[in-house]
Amino acid sequence: MTPEASNPAPIENTKEQVPVGLLTCQHTPYLKHFTTTVLSCSKKPNKHKLYEVQLQDTILFPEGGGQPCDYGTINESIQVKNVQRIGTSHVHHTTAPVDEGIEARLDVDWPRRFDNMQQHSGQHLLSAVFEQPEFGCDTLAWGMNDKRCHVELSKAPTPEQVQQVEDRLNLYIRRNYPVHVTFTETRPPTMPKDYVGPNGVFRVIEIMEDLDTIAEEQDPLGQYHDQDNNNNSSTPSARRLVRLDYNPCCGTHVKSLKDLQCIKILHQEKIRGANCRLFFVVGQRALNLLQETYQLTRELGTVLAAPGGPETYVETVVKAQKQGKESYKQCKNLYKELAAYQVRDWAQELKEKHEEGEGYLIKMHREDADMDYLVTVVALLKEQELIKGQRVFVLSAGEKKEGGAMIITGQNEELVKTVAAEVSKFVEVKGGGKGRWQGKSKSWKGLETAWEAAEAVVKGASA
């Protein structure tokens, strides 16, 4: 490539922008490469560190109608990270400035574009079927993210209706009905206020059901073909069509339903009264979801030790839950017994070593215990009337590196509060409470030092 070719000379700019509604990306959505003129470029980047570029025309769709914008490149090296509509103008947000007046090559991120087309056309078809009288679910809104799409319906369909709709959607895809772009002079009520239809018309997406295709499916041998054409037609009659969908839309769409591949309805959630949010995926997203789900089920089979495959997962989990509940019950009973032995030993210790009224600290930490065990111990201490005078109990549980639960209790509330404050100086623990202070730590580093400090506080209180 010559230097002149790599740095084309600016040309005099006498061109105006093609308005949104008549963009090349909208009327020729399968075009992946395109050359257009750079009309302007901001001198400085915006707050997102991107330059704002206006092109005469574009194959990169500006965000709108519920469809995300396209990504792509200008002159192969400059990334387009965002495309926005302002009225009927379009602005490309780029990673570097572009010389005004030059001819620039655009390349669209095709996998992203085709995915957006599949989801958007799929939504039109899905909404059209749900709005049929036998289902009566009007679409109030829709949304798309990088994983799945949803429509907000005026009422929740039954599971049987959802299956009927899904079957019908995939039947239409197999019939491969075309998707038409047409125009109307009537301003749709859903059109944004800042959108002015190019040349006084508004863009509409139309999908037609072919009654002759249905007849051919029902009569594959053509036995009744002549009867359908009044038995006197020497030439094929015009196709008999019924409108499935006719809605204003600025988005990019597939040219025929075969490019949707398939539609899978996922689940629904109730929102705002009787409304529901219905989730779905179209085309490659459905295939990706199938692969992800299949891989997950294989991994779950190993984790659950369920060699019978997904069919045995529920049975395996129910069995594991039952065993877990039984084990928990046994463990809880054993902890109660263990707590009883622990409190009995403390009662003996207090009887032998502690004079009534003197300050005395009892400390305990169990790595294999939790808050429930500590609560059980405190309940037994109260039952045995061991919490009295200047005695303070500092109890903790949990692995040393991971932390866990702590309870500090005693009859003297002020003393308990002081001990808790002292312990918190050495152990990263947060908590509170009156009489019985309890909290949680992130680790038990410094616990032994905290015990020593607590013991000094308790002894000092009774001195």
Side-chain angles (χ1 to χ4, degrees):
M1 181 179 290
T2 64
E4 289 77 14
S6 60
N7 295 287
I11 60 177
E12 184 180 356
N13 177 20
T14 60
K15 300 179 180 180
E16 295 182 354
Q17 266 200 337
V18 174
V20 175
L22 297 177
L23 299 175
T24 296
C25 64
Q26 293 174 301
H27 63 70
T28 315
Y30 285 75
L31 193 62
K32 301 176 184 178
H33 317 290
F34 183 65
T35 300
T36 187
T37 303
V38 179
L39 300 183
S40 67
C41 178
S42 60
K43 303 302 180 184
K44 296 180 180 180
N46 58 24
K47 63 180 180 179
H48 301 294
K49 298 181 180 180
L50 298 174
Y51 290 84
E52 298 180 4
V53 178
Q54 287 195 324
L55 305 174
Q56 183 198 6
D57 196 357
T58 185
I59 57 167
L60 303 185
F61 176 73
E63 180 181 0
Q67 180 175 326
C69 70
D70 286 332
Y71 294 160
T73 60
I74 296 178
N75 291 337
E76 299 183 353
S77 61
I78 299 175
Q79 298 289 323
V80 179
K81 294 294 187 179
N82 193 3
V83 188
Q84 289 296 314
R85 175 184 69 83
I86 302 175
T88 56
S89 298
H90 41 97
V91 180
H92 297 63
H93 297 241
T94 66
T95 55
V98 185
D99 293 336
E100 295 182 10
I102 67 168
E103 292 295 307
R105 172 190 166 111
L106 290 178
D107 293 278
V108 65
D109 179 343
W110 178 248
R112 175 183 171 89
R113 151 68 68 75
F114 191 65
D115 172 62
N116 287 344
M117 289 166 61
Q118 285 188 317
Q119 308 316 309
H120 201 163
S121 297
Q123 178 268 315
H124 273 245
L125 184 62
L126 180 142
S127 293
V129 175
F130 267 115
E131 289 171 2
Q132 292 176 352
E134 59 193 288
F135 304 113
C137 300
D138 294 333
T139 295
L140 307 177
W142 88 288
M144 180 200 313
N145 59 29
D146 60 353
K147 288 292 184 181
R148 57 188 181 182
C149 304
H150 73 267
V151 288
E152 182 179 338
L153 301 177
S154 58
K155 67 177 183 178
T158 66
E160 293 76 17
Q161 289 176 324
V162 168
Q163 188 59 56
Q164 290 173 21
V165 169
E166 184 178 292
D167 291 343
R168 192 171 300 180
L169 292 171
N170 287 293
L171 174 62
Y172 290 156
I173 292 172
R174 292 196 300 274
R175 287 176 176 166
N176 190 26
Y177 295 151
V179 179
H180 297 290
V181 176
T182 184
F183 294 88
T184 178
E185 295 181 359
T186 303
R187 183 182 181 86
T190 57
M191 192 67 67
K193 293 181 179 179
D194 63 345
Y195 185 90
V196 179
N199 303 325
V201 296
F202 299 93
R203 190 168 179 267
V204 176
I205 299 301
E206 182 180 60
I207 304 174
M208 306 292 285
E209 184 172 15
D210 191 333
L211 299 184
D212 288 317
T213 297
I214 299 173
E216 290 165 3
E217 289 176 355
Q218 296 172 345
D219 179 27
L221 299 179
Q223 293 176 320
Y224 307 104
H225 179 73
D226 290 340
Q227 296 179 19
D228 290 341
N229 287 283
N230 300 319
N231 296 317
N232 58 7
S233 174
S234 59
T235 59
S237 62
R239 304 296 292 185
R240 296 174 297 159
L241 304 175
V242 175
R243 182 175 285 162
L244 267 176
D245 179 56
Y246 186 80
N247 277 294
C249 184
C250 64
T252 55
H253 289 270
V254 297
K255 59 186 176 183
S256 63
L257 295 187
K258 74 176 179 61
D259 279 351
L260 298 185
Q261 298 175 270
C262 62
I263 295 179
K264 179 61 186 174
I265 299 175
L266 303 177
H267 67 282
Q268 56 182 291
E269 300 172 350
K270 289 187 176 181
I271 57 170
R272 288 188 287 277
N275 295 1
C276 95
R277 184 175 287 137
L278 185 93
F279 293 87
F280 66 96
V281 286
V282 183
Q284 190 60 44
R285 290 197 187 192
L287 299 179
N288 292 344
L289 180 61
L290 174 61
Q291 180 59 37
E292 292 169 5
T293 304
Y294 177 73
Q295 186 61 36
L296 179 61
T297 58
R298 285 180 57 84
E299 294 173 2
L300 278 175
T302 303
V303 173
L304 296 174
E311 295 82 3
T312 65
Y313 285 178
V314 173
E315 179 185 351
T316 302
V317 170
V318 170
K319 184 178 179 180
Q321 287 179 332
K322 183 178 179 181
Q323 292 174 341
K325 289 179 181 179
E326 291 174 353
S327 298
Y328 177 76
K329 185 177 180 180
Q330 293 173 353
C331 186
K332 196 170 182 180
N333 289 334
L334 290 173
Y335 268 134
K336 285 182 178 179
E337 292 183 19
L338 185 62
Y341 284 120
Q342 179 65 78
V343 171
R344 186 191 64 181
D345 290 345
W346 284 339
Q348 185 64 30
E349 178 183 340
L350 291 168
K351 182 178 179 180
E352 294 176 355
K353 299 181 180 180
H354 178 228
E355 293 293 334
E356 193 72 30
E358 292 182 356
Y360 197 81
L361 178 74
I362 287 184
K363 53 191 182 293
M364 179 205 72
H365 179 81
R366 287 194 66 93
E367 289 195 14
D368 59 351
D370 56 15
M371 179 61 82
D372 288 343
Y373 177 72
L374 300 186
V375 171
T376 300
V377 170
V378 172
L380 289 173
L381 289 172
K382 289 182 178 179
E383 184 180 303
Q384 298 295 321
E385 297 183 351
L386 298 179
I387 302 177
K388 57 184 179 181
Q390 300 292 85
R391 298 171 182 172
V392 176
F393 297 83
V394 178
L395 316 175
S396 57
E399 295 185 11
K400 288 189 175 181
K401 291 184 179 180
E402 297 181 2
M406 171 174 276
I407 291 180
I408 302 175
T409 188
Q411 189 177 45
N412 188 327
E413 292 187 8
E414 286 300 319
L415 183 57
V416 168
K417 185 177 180 181
T418 303
V419 169
E422 192 68 18
V423 168
S424 299
K425 294 178 181 178
F426 303 95
V427 176
E428 190 178 357
V429 60
K430 293 182 179 180
K434 293 184 178 180
R436 188 177 84 181
W437 186 98
Q438 65 183 55
K440 189 175 182 180
S441 77
K442 294 183 178 180
S443 78
W444 293 118
K445 182 180 179 181
L447 183 60
E448 289 80 5
T449 305
W451 283 344
E452 293 176 3
E455 192 162 20
V457 170
V458 173
K459 287 183 177 179
S462 60

